[in-house]
Amino acid sequence: MQQGAGFEKDLLWEQGRGHLRTHFNIMAMILNLLLPWGMFIFTYVTLTSALRYELPIVAFVIFTVALLACAVCCLLALRIERRGQSSQWYGYAAISLTLAALAGGGLGH
């Protein structure tokens, strides 16, 4: 397995089999599928539950914290991109989490 600049090659040659095998990061795929759903459900439930009507300031603070988490994810993706590393999963996570939080907030409001 060849490594360059701290990365593994995307296509790995299986020894003795004579064909190329694609290397997937399964954990990143699962997290980037489930975290946006969780963010949407969290923000939607926060802004549609009785919490919003009984303690509206707490509900909007929780929503603001969710948006701050999205901002941190965006900053992390930009930081990794500036280092010259592959930030595809981080960029996708930043965009999808932000859209999920905004959609949950918009539909829950």
Side-chain angles (χ1 to χ4, degrees):
M1 193 177 327
Q2 181 181 1
Q3 292 186 357
F7 296 108
E8 294 180 5
K9 290 176 69 175
D10 286 338
L11 295 176
L12 301 175
W13 182 264
E14 282 192 19
Q15 295 178 346
R17 301 216 177 166
H19 63 278
L20 291 176
R21 178 174 65 95
T22 304
H23 179 75
F24 293 110
N25 188 351
I26 298 297
M27 188 57 126
M29 293 169 67
I30 291 171
L31 286 175
N32 277 319
L33 180 66
L34 296 179
L35 285 179
W37 280 102
M39 179 66 78
F40 174 79
I41 291 169
F42 178 71
T43 56
Y44 182 76
V45 168
T46 299
L47 295 178
T48 58
S49 66
L51 178 69
R52 178 174 179 246
Y53 299 105
E54 294 175 10
L55 300 168
I57 294 175
V58 174
F60 286 110
V61 166
I62 291 172
F63 180 67
T64 304
V65 169
L67 289 178
L68 288 175
C70 294
V72 167
C73 193
C74 291
L75 291 174
L76 179 65
L78 288 173
R79 182 178 177 196
I80 290 175
E81 183 68 32
R82 286 185 186 148
R83 288 184 181 174
Q85 298 174 347
S86 176
S87 65
Q88 292 175 351
W89 290 116
Y90 294 105
Y92 177 79
I95 292 169
S96 62
L97 284 172
T98 303
L99 288 175
L102 292 175
L107 292 173
H109 189 65

